[in-house]
Amino acid sequence: MAEGGSTPEIDLTRPSVARMYDYYLNGKDNYQVDREAAERVARAMPEIGELAKENRSFLRRSVRYMARRGIRQFLDIGSGLPTVGNTHEIAHEIVPDARVVYVDSDPVVLVHGRALLATNEFTTVAQADMRRPADVLDHARSTGLIDFTAPVGVLMIAMTHFLTLEEREGVMAPLREALAPGSHLAATHVTTEGHAPAAVDQIENAYAATPTPIYFRNKSDIALFFDGFELVDPGLVTIDTWNPENDETDKPAKQVGKWLYGGIGRLS
């Protein structure tokens, strides 16, 4: 069930983070401006394609973790373009009637989401910017799929690193305050730790040409995004070491995941 409305206008003069990510995953929903920006990132981080896949693996493991612990509704913020192993597909393997709302600011995501989810009564997509959490929450409520009086699984996979530390509390606090006890937050974030400053600078410069600059941080600064949540085992770790599964499709690629910290926090 996708929200209705007119086809949004797409700006092809500037690269889009969602479309760059699609390119990393060998998708087809990207444009020359996105590919050029993505290649600049790849020159500093040659393993970016494998890292994007590992990040998706973390998402799938996170959804399974939450669904197995009673979460029946998911809010995927910054969901990106549809690909194999979307949140609703993983959740429905465990909870067939789990409700999922995808939110992204990129209009291409909205167009493709409408097409993909047109006949799915448990899932929808909305266009909103995570920097406006009131809009994100209003869109989620208006779908009729998310009940904030019950626990919600919030996903911010590879999204918090697009916020400045000054923006952090203004975004995270309203989301946290809207959630019922028992809700979970899953997030991943790029790190400076273990990486050459020149490579980090090159990647940050590539993203500076997009509407969403990226900010690499150390572990202690990344942990601030989980304020108010209790991190579940094994805590905030590089994503290759977060609860790896035996399923070959989600087997972490050793070392590749060292660019990202990830974790799940539970709200008491």
Side-chain angles (χ1 to χ4, degrees):
M1 179 180 67
E3 290 188 338
S6 59
T7 301
E9 184 176 340
I10 299 170
D11 180 6
L12 300 183
T13 65
R14 302 183 71 185
S16 152
V17 167
R19 299 193 306 262
M20 289 170 65
Y21 198 77
D22 177 69
Y23 179 69
Y24 300 148
L25 291 167
N26 298 317
K28 297 180 174 60
D29 299 309
N30 50 75
Y31 301 93
Q32 187 63 31
V33 67
D34 309 307
R35 294 188 284 272
E36 290 173 355
E39 287 300 329
R40 289 195 295 272
V41 173
R43 284 194 286 273
M45 187 192 289
E47 62 270 45
I48 184 63
E50 289 303 314
L51 180 59
K53 293 174 185 176
E54 176 55 30
N55 199 48
R56 293 294 300 187
S57 173
F58 176 87
L59 179 148
R60 292 190 291 269
R61 301 197 307 272
S62 298
V63 172
R64 292 189 187 108
Y65 177 94
M66 290 188 277
R68 288 167 180 160
R69 285 156 181 79
I71 298 296
R72 297 295 180 264
Q73 47 185 357
F74 296 85
L75 180 59
D76 191 340
I77 301 173
S79 55
L81 285 152
T83 186
V84 176
N86 289 300
T87 297
H88 73 282
E89 294 170 328
I90 302 304
H92 290 164
E93 291 174 358
I94 300 168
V95 184
D97 61 349
R99 301 181 301 281
V100 178
V101 174
Y102 294 105
V103 178
D104 202 287
S105 61
D106 192 304
V108 174
V109 175
L110 184 62
V111 170
H112 283 267
R114 285 175 176 169
L116 176 69
L117 303 171
T119 60
N120 191 316
E121 64 178 311
F122 299 116
T123 309
T124 193
V125 60
Q127 186 179 10
D129 191 326
M130 70 169 172
R131 289 180 175 80
R132 300 181 177 88
D135 289 349
V136 171
L137 294 167
D138 287 346
H139 276 87
R141 290 189 186 96
S142 69
T143 66
L145 294 178
I146 301 293
D147 173 11
F148 284 105
T149 67
V152 178
V154 178
L155 299 156
M156 298 183 75
I157 305 301
M159 289 304 297
T160 52
H161 49 223
F162 295 117
L163 296 171
T164 67
L165 286 181
E166 291 72 25
E167 291 173 315
R168 177 187 62 84
E169 189 63 7
V171 171
M172 303 307 295
L175 294 176
R176 184 175 63 244
E177 291 164 3
L179 299 175
S183 294
H184 289 64
L185 167 69
T188 64
H189 191 303
V190 289
T191 182
T192 56
E193 295 183 6
H195 304 293
V200 171
D201 288 345
Q202 189 173 339
I203 298 166
E204 288 185 337
N205 289 338
Y207 275 96
T210 77
T212 47
I214 197 168
Y215 305 97
F216 284 66
R217 298 188 173 101
N218 59 34
K219 183 178 180 180
S220 61
D221 282 345
I222 294 170
L224 295 174
F225 289 90
F226 289 95
D227 279 358
F229 293 86
E230 180 182 357
L231 284 164
V232 304
D233 288 338
L236 183 62
V237 295
T238 55
I239 60 173
D240 57 311
T241 61
W242 195 90
N243 291 335
E245 297 184 350
N246 292 326
D247 185 343
E248 284 297 317
T249 61
D250 283 333
K251 189 175 181 180
K254 296 300 182 184
Q255 302 303 316
V256 173
K258 302 297 184 186
W259 280 98
L260 288 160
Y261 274 106
I264 292 183
R266 185 181 185 276
L267 192 64
S268 298

